[in-house]
Every structure is written in structure tokens, then in C-alpha cells.
Amino acid sequence: MHGSFEKRDNIGIIRVNNPPVNAINAGVREAIIDGCAKINADPQIKAGILICEGRTFMVGADIREFGKPMQAPSLPDTIQALEDSSKFMVAAIHGSAFGGGLEIALGCHYRVAVADAKVGLPEVKLGLLPGAGGTQRLPRLVGVDAALDIIVSGDPLPAEKAAQLGIIDKILDGDLPEAALEYTKRLVAEGALPRKIRDLDIDTGQMPKDYFEQARQRIAKQKKKLFSPQRIVDALEAAATLPFDKGLKRERDLFMQCLQNSQARALQHVFFAERATSQIPDLDKNVPVRDIESVAVIGAGTMGGGIAMNFLNAGIPVTLLEVKQDALDRGVAVMRKNYESSAAKGRLTMQQVEQRMDLLAPTLSYDDLGKANLIIEAVFETMAIKKEVFGKLDKVAAKGAILASNTSYLSIDEIASSTSRPQDVVGMHFFSPANVMRLCEVVRGKKSAQDALKTAIETTKRIGKVGVVCANSDGFIGNRMLGGYGYQAALCVLEGAMPEQVDSVLRDFGMPMGPMQMSDLAGLDIGYKSRKERDPDSFDGRVFRTADLLVEMGRLGQKTGAGYYDYAPGDRTPRPSPVVAELIEMSSQDFGIVRREIRDEEILERCLLSLVNAGCDVLAEKVANRASDIDIVYIYGYGFPAYRGGPMFWAENEVGLKTALEKLRKYSVQTGGKWLKVSPFLEKLVASGEGFASAGE
Ligand code: NAD
């Protein structure tokens, strides 16, 4: 049993103890049921307290029990034992009461908490819904509206907010076990009785008749294509319209529907994949982390400003360096504007805006960088400039300072060679907008020291990012893989599709935008310039003909109001352009390509399987440590739909690796073989019947 029982005067205390987070396994459930029985059997005991040892209340199911048959007693039976207790039960919460933890607390008759406790039902984040009465009890306690918000968002609520809503009866000061005991004794003295949430009514009289239909539509817009939020609405409708026991049964059915849906499996994969990113092969666990108290950012452009904001948000001072005063002023002004617009939306107070801006020290002088423990370079993407900057940093940076580059494609090893301390150099590749996107690829150079790497990874966590470690490679993990994806998209256009068809296929799949829209957003001139610098034999120039012509016409994308699409002033909605259609047809004709109708399925397969194929090369070369790291890169860096688990998970679980290989072979032959070469690594995996789980590490 993972818990103990103690009788203090006329109160029975159940203490759950399952370190580190009191996950609700069979031993915990047994301890609760056992405690309830003791409380009810002892005539001297007038009430019970349910409290947890260690750093938190119960935070949900035990992940080690995932996928195994539930061992008795079940969670619903445990909650029922609490609720049916003839002596009243008080849940005393510290840390977090999440998921099953909160459902257990809702089975108790009273709930008290310390001021910094949090409660929440995060099941939706794993593609599920609270399946042990949470969807039936919470709306009875707080009303349908508030319950819907809490369960559909899955976000934690601070104790104070939970108390305002009535989830927590009282916030207690001081030592929780003693304060809860005192509170319970007082209730006993007042003659308190068990109060069952199940007996509360939901007042539907005030709700519009089509309340649930409206909720379904609203949530369909907010949580595009997600399965479980809709089932949550169904469960709340059951709570509002059915007797409690029938509602519970409906909740169970809906829970099972979610569990069996592919989204739940994908989202659980993402949950574990995110945690796996911090396991780095051959990184000694005992390596100390260097102190990061002050940061410097070089370049106050699109990326530098966003990167700096991450540190300011975490309360870490930033020195921001630019070459020219006007560029510096512009960069600082953009940061301020971003903060002020967050304040206008109520996400920050003006005082917080000022606190953050006060931590920023803009400068034009390298002499001001001596204090920084971490310096992140985000200047133009040109090797010569990067090397010049790192050469200067080498002269002024403090001993042991980490020197990081935000380069998208360039070699970290070559950049490091411009310093006398390559062991301190790593890549920290943030994604745009850098203050929003959660991914940071941490690039491990050949000479990067273990403690420098570990510090960079820890730093990404400190600023709320997910760091994925990769080896030095052209474009690292994400951008390198993007090449084949963009190529197939452009080739489909040359062969017969229009940009709007290609984009809508990928949007329908769940990508936030299609490849042509993405080019318009980034600026077509970026690819154009890089092609001018590359060996023309290293890419298929035909597919870029249209993009090149667009750039030469001044259609650079959103920033010029026209690119692959037309844009109305101040509106980012892409509108198909007759001019572009004509250019595309002309390009096809020039290359002797007879345009044909291309099915949506072919577009999707060619684009996404090329991405996966490149992912296999990335794994084969050990640029990524594991396939699930690639999934995280695509979900947090490129908006790949999490409910599909990432490109590698999708290929393995939705398509099947054997089918993926067959299709890739077919498309490779169909497109001439030169620019889509099937990854030998994928061939090998399929031949051996193995999956991605066996690869990497
Ligand atoms: P940007 O043009 O918006 O900003 C670059 C800034 O660096 C400019 O303000 C410029 O004045 C400044 N600068 C140039 N040379 C400098 C020097 N020697 N010293 C100090 N400052 C100097 O470019 P960006 O989009 O922010 O990109 C910066 C870096 O980030 C590039 O390496 C790019 O590849 C990478 N990156 C960009 C994105 C993106 O989506 N924009 C995403 C990830 C990584």
C-alpha cells in the first residue's frame, strides 16, 4: 500500500505516499479505500482527512500503469468510497491536484488548500477527458460554463481562483497537516455532515436552449480537428441533462471513445517524446551546469529581439548589441511594442512590461558584454559576418561564457573555429517568432564541452522552451528536412497543381499553413538569395523558376503585399493570383511539362513522405538522437499537428513504414530519382521489420 493511516483524537488521517508525485497507482487507491474503511468502522472517529506526503497532492494516473489493465480497486471505486463515507472527508491539497488527483478531491466532501496549490484537469492534453467523474462533478460544483473552460483548456488553476469558483472551500495558512486538522475539528464541532457533489443540481433554466450546440461550434473553431474537446462537451451535456449515475456511465463511454481514438495515442507519444528530449546519449549525468545570470544577444532583428524577450520574461538581464543606433532603437521599439500589445490583451500588467524592459541594456559596444554568461548571436546568415562576430566575442567574453549561434543552416564547427574556445560554442537555434515558438534546437559542435551543452539545454528549460539536441548538419534537424518537403510542393505546382491546392491539402492535414504560404510569410527573396550562392547543380532549378520570376517582379511575399498570392493591405489572407497562375503555366511549358490534374492524396504523400525520408537520413547520420526528437522539432518548431504525433510517428502509425517505403519508391521513380532518393535507413528498417523505436539513441 502506498499510504498510511493515523488516528488523531476524533479524526482519521489518510496519508498517501507514492514519491515523487503521488501518482495514483493501485497501492495509492488501496490506501485510500483502506483508510475510508477504518474511518467508518471506528465509532470514535467523526471525520477523515485525505492528505499527501512529499512535494504534492496526487497529480494523476501513474504513467507506469498506462496501457496495462487497471488493477483493482479502480479509481471510480476509490472516489465512490470517499464520497459514500458516512463520516465527512476533507481533501487537504498542496502542490498540484491534477487529473485523477482533482477527481479524488471532488469525491471528498470538503477541500482545503495552501495558497500556492494548483488544481486542474489536464486530460484533454493527452487526447482524453476526465474519466472518473470529473466531467460530472465539476459542473455541479462550479456551473457548466466554468467547468467547460477548465476541462477543455486543461490548464491549471491557482488555489485562489479555485476558491473563488468554489472548488476549494478554504485556503489555509501555515503547516497544512495541522491547519487541516484544526479546520476539520472545527467542522465536527459545528456538526458538519458529508456533502456529496453528486447530489447538487445543475440549473439549466438560465442556459440558452442551444447552449451545447453553440459550445460545439465555438470549440471546433478553437480546437481545430481535435476529438476529445467535442467529447468533453458531450460529457457536460450529459451532466446537465441526465441523472448523476447515467452521466457517469456516459462519461465512461466517451472516455473510452477518446482512448480508442488515434489522437490519444499520438498525444501521449508527444507527452513522452517531450520528456525524452532531455536524455542525451553520452552526456555524463554528473556534469555540472554553468551559472547563467546574465545574457547578451547580438543582433536586434527579427530573431534577436524575440530571443532577448524570452530571457527578460524569465527575469534574466539581457544586454542587446547592434552595429548601428537606428537598428538598435528599432529592435528595442519592436520589443516594447510586443510587450505593450500583450498588456493590451490583459496578459501582462504595464508594471510587468516596465520590469521587463528595465532588465534590458541596449548597447553598441562589445566592451559591455564582459558580464554575460551566455551570448547568443543572431546577426545576418552569412558565414563571414558570423565568424567576425565570434572573433570579437572571443576577445571580450568572460572566461567560461557560452557562445551560441542562432544560425539556421551554417556550420557550428566552422563558426567555433573563429574563436580560441570552441569548447564553449554551441548552436541555439530558435524558431520564429522566437518569443512564442517553444522549440530550440541545441546544436552540439564537434568540440562543444559537455557542461556547455548541458547548460544550453537547462537554459532552454528555464525560459520555457523545449531543447532538442542535434549534431552539426546543414539545417540541423528541422530545416534540413524541410528541403524535400518544399521541393515536392513546388514540383507538384510545376506538374499541374496550383499553390492554393497544395496549401489547402497541407492545411487540411493540420499544418498551420501550406508551403507556399510559408514562403510568402518568410519572404521569397530569402530562398532566391541562397540559390544564387549555391552550386546550381545542387538543386533542381526548374521548380524554383516561378519563385525566381516572382522575386524579380518584386513580389517578395507578404511584406510586399504579393508573392505566390495577392494580399489586401493589412490582411494576411492569401488570395489566388491570376498573374501567378499564368507564370506557373508558362514555367511548366518552358520545361515541356504537360500539366495534369494532381490528386490531393498524391500532394500530401509526396510532401510528407519526403519529409519523413529526410528524417530517416537525419537518424541514420545521428543528427537527431531519436525519431521522437524529430517529432518534437516538427510539432514545436513548425506547427505539425500534435494530434498526429509528429511526422515520424505519423509515418509509422498512420501510414505504416512498409507502405511509406513503397510509396516513396514509387514517387522517386515517378519524379526521376535524382532529387528524391529513398533513404537506405528506411529500407533497412523495413527489411528488418523494425520500427523507429529501435533506431537512434
Ligand atoms: P534580421 O535581418 O531580422 O536581423 C539581423 C540583425 O543583425 C539586424 O538587425 C542587423 O542590424 C544585425 N547585425 C548584422 N550584423 C551585425 C553585427 N556584425 N553585429 C551586430 N549586429 C549585426 O535577421 P533574423 O531573421 O533575425 O535572423 C538572424 C539569424 O537568425 C540568422 O542567422 C537567421 O538565419 C537566423 N534565424 C532566422 C529565423 C527567421 O525566421 N527569421 C529563424 C531561425 C533562425
Side-chain angles (χ1 to χ4, degrees):
M1 259 192 328
H2 285 123
S4 59
F5 180 77
E6 186 197 359
K7 184 170 155 185
R8 289 266 305 264
D9 306 326
N10 58 352
I11 308 294
I13 302 171
I14 305 169
R15 278 202 192 84
V16 167
N17 186 13
N18 182 24
V21 290
N22 290 314
I24 311 161
N25 65 2
V28 167
R29 299 193 295 269
E30 254 175 61
I32 296 173
I33 294 217
D34 178 73
C36 283
K38 287 187 171 129
I39 289 167
N40 283 287
D42 186 336
Q44 276 183 336
I45 295 182
K46 301 294 178 214
I49 294 176
L50 175 62
I51 194 164
C52 293
E53 308 260 16
R55 61 175 145 101
T56 178
F57 197 74
M58 290 162 267
V59 296
D62 190 335
I63 45 178
R64 282 165 297 200
E65 286 189 354
F66 269 28
K68 296 186 194 151
M70 171 80 101
Q71 233 179 302
S74 70
L75 182 56
D77 287 348
T78 309
I79 295 171
Q80 192 161 346
L82 288 163
E83 196 169 51
D84 286 347
S85 164
S86 61
K87 325 271 176 80
F88 72 81
M89 302 293 306
V90 179
I93 301 168
H94 72 296
S96 306
F98 288 160
L102 180 56
E103 290 180 297
I104 285 180
L106 293 174
C108 294
H109 308 109
Y110 294 85
R111 283 155 298 282
V112 294
V114 292
D116 63 357
K118 289 192 189 107
V119 304
L121 293 169
E123 287 81 353
V124 70
K125 297 189 174 169
L126 296 180
L128 300 172
L129 52 79
T135 66
Q136 305 302 298
R137 289 193 179 86
L138 192 63
R140 283 179 161 76
L141 196 59
V142 303
V144 174
D145 250 356
L148 198 59
D149 274 357
I150 294 168
I151 305 176
V152 168
S153 76
D155 292 337
L157 291 179
E160 194 186 336
K161 176 85 181 137
Q164 280 163 12
L165 287 168
I167 301 173
I168 304 287
D169 294 295
K170 189 145 181 66
I171 294 181
L172 300 179
D173 293 330
D175 179 53
L176 182 65
E178 289 309 315
L181 187 64
E182 198 183 303
Y183 175 84
T184 309
K185 283 183 172 175
R186 196 163 352 109
L187 284 182
V188 170
E190 287 165 5
L193 293 170
R195 307 178 305 180
K196 298 184 188 181
I197 293 178
R198 65 191 294 149
D199 293 340
L200 299 175
D201 282 330
I202 294 178
D203 180 9
T204 49
Q206 304 299 319
M207 289 165 70
K209 275 216 160 39
D210 61 348
Y211 176 89
F212 289 103
E213 213 28 63
Q214 278 186 31
R216 279 188 188 92
Q217 286 173 19
R218 190 179 66 240
I219 288 167
K221 271 196 209 130
Q222 285 165 1
K223 304 263 170 183
K224 284 194 188 86
K225 299 181 202 277
L226 285 180
F227 182 79
S228 78
Q230 292 295 329
R231 304 294 82 71
I232 290 169
V233 182
D234 296 346
L236 288 182
E237 186 170 27
T241 54
L242 298 177
F244 184 80
D245 285 333
K246 286 218 168 100
L248 268 191
K249 198 171 160 304
R250 177 91 177 112
E251 177 194 77
R252 184 93 317 236
D253 290 346
L254 292 164
F255 177 81
M256 292 312 291
Q257 284 180 29
C258 291
L259 197 63
Q260 283 153 9
N261 189 279
S262 63
Q263 292 188 357
R265 219 151 70 88
L267 289 165
Q268 281 159 36
H269 163 74
V270 177
F271 176 87
F272 291 113
E274 184 176 331
R275 273 145 196 82
T277 55
S278 47
Q279 288 153 31
I280 316 302
D282 69 16
L283 179 62
D284 182 352
K285 281 203 177 64
N286 302 318
V287 165
V289 174
R290 300 187 196 175
D291 280 342
I292 303 292
E293 279 161 19
S294 169
V295 170
V297 175
I298 316 296
T302 312
M303 294 306 289
I307 294 169
M309 287 173 76
N310 291 314
F311 290 95
L312 302 179
N313 296 347
I316 303 169
V318 176
T319 305
L320 182 63
L321 183 139
E322 259 291 346
V323 265
K324 291 209 182 92
Q325 188 66 46
D326 61 339
L328 187 60
D329 292 345
R330 218 175 316 122
V332 173
V334 170
M335 290 168 68
R336 175 171 280 284
K337 200 171 131 235
N338 282 339
Y339 277 136
E340 286 176 353
S341 92
S342 294
K345 289 180 193 135
R347 293 200 201 121
L348 285 180
T349 62
M350 273 318 284
Q351 195 192 0
Q352 285 170 318
V353 173
E354 294 311 328
Q355 274 164 1
R356 284 163 206 217
M357 291 306 291
D358 283 349
L359 286 173
L360 181 70
T363 182
L364 297 174
S365 166
Y366 275 80
D367 295 337
D368 291 336
L369 305 182
K371 277 199 318 282
N373 315 107
L374 166 66
I375 305 181
I376 304 175
E377 163 279 313
V379 304
F380 300 137
E381 183 75 349
T382 309
M383 183 53 93
I385 302 183
K386 303 262 188 214
K387 280 176 137 174
E388 187 198 319
V389 168
F390 273 76
K392 283 186 190 156
L393 294 179
D394 194 27
K395 296 203 177 71
V396 298
K399 188 165 170 285
I402 291 172
L403 309 181
S405 172
N406 184 49
T407 177
S408 306
Y409 289 93
L410 302 173
S411 164
I412 291 298
D413 292 333
E414 192 176 341
I415 293 174
S417 73
S418 59
T419 72
S420 63
R421 39 175 131 177
Q423 72 279 6
D424 294 334
V425 178
V426 293
M428 286 182 81
H429 181 213
F430 291 85
F431 285 68
S432 179
N435 53 325
V436 177
M437 299 302 279
R438 287 190 64 206
L439 180 67
C440 178
E441 287 181 332
V442 177
V443 188
R444 182 178 197 170
K446 276 212 175 64
K447 296 190 177 159
S448 304
Q450 293 230 337
D451 63 341
L453 180 72
K454 190 161 176 188
T455 308
I457 300 164
E458 291 301 319
T459 304
T460 60
K461 287 189 193 149
R462 219 171 132 193
I463 58 174
K465 305 274 174 203
V466 179
V468 174
V469 174
C470 46
N472 193 25
S473 156
D474 185 24
F476 314 115
I477 298 175
N479 283 345
R480 169 169 166 175
M481 287 169 57
L482 209 54
Y485 171 83
Y487 171 69
Q488 287 298 330
L491 190 57
C492 285
V493 168
L494 194 66
E495 290 175 8
M498 278 294 156
E500 51 274 25
Q501 185 193 357
V502 173
D503 284 346
S504 82
V505 166
L506 286 147
R507 274 198 313 268
D508 285 349
F509 175 81
M511 299 299 285
M513 61 179 85
M516 309 296 159
Q517 274 177 284
M518 200 159 86
S519 306
D520 268 5
L521 178 69
L524 296 175
D525 50 323
I526 294 184
Y528 182 85
K529 276 189 210 136
S530 97
R531 283 193 290 280
K532 294 280 167 220
E533 285 170 22
R534 275 159 64 190
D535 171 3
D537 290 335
S538 68
F539 58 92
D540 182 357
R542 296 175 312 158
V543 305
F544 299 109
R545 164 68 69 86
T546 306
D548 289 349
L549 291 173
L550 290 172
V551 171
E552 283 155 17
M553 289 164 70
R555 295 180 66 112
L556 308 186
Q558 282 192 17
K559 59 187 166 192
T560 56
Y564 273 112
Y565 296 96
D566 291 334
Y567 298 90
D571 185 355
R572 287 163 182 251
T573 318
R575 293 156 209 268
S577 155
V579 177
V580 175
E582 206 175 304
L583 275 186
I584 289 171
E585 291 190 7
M586 226 172 63
S587 302
S588 305
Q589 221 173 15
D590 285 353
F591 294 113
I593 294 170
V594 181
R595 292 179 66 77
R596 65 183 170 98
E597 192 175 320
I598 305 191
R599 283 176 309 118
D600 289 355
E601 192 187 350
E602 180 179 336
I603 294 175
L604 187 76
E605 289 176 356
R606 282 171 60 177
C607 292
L608 288 186
L609 292 176
S610 296
L611 190 70
V612 172
N613 192 52
C616 290
D617 288 342
V618 156
L619 276 178
E621 291 172 30
K622 297 195 181 304
V623 172
N625 288 320
R626 53 185 77 81
S628 65
D629 278 5
I630 297 177
D631 289 332
I632 291 296
V633 164
Y634 264 82
I635 291 167
Y636 291 146
Y638 300 83
F640 195 97
Y643 60 81
R644 293 190 190 271
M648 308 308 269
F649 183 88
W650 169 80
E652 189 163 11
N653 293 279
E654 277 194 53
V655 182
L657 292 187
K658 191 161 165 285
T659 311
L661 176 63
E662 282 160 9
K663 294 197 178 215
L664 274 164
R665 281 187 183 140
K666 181 182 94 177
Y667 291 128
S668 173
V669 172
Q670 181 185 316
T671 57
K674 185 168 178 194
W675 305 107
L676 172 56
K677 291 202 167 67
V678 177
S679 165
F681 184 79
L682 179 61
E683 301 260 15
K684 209 173 77 191
L685 272 190
V686 172
S688 65
E690 288 179 351
F692 286 134
S694 63
E697 303 282 317

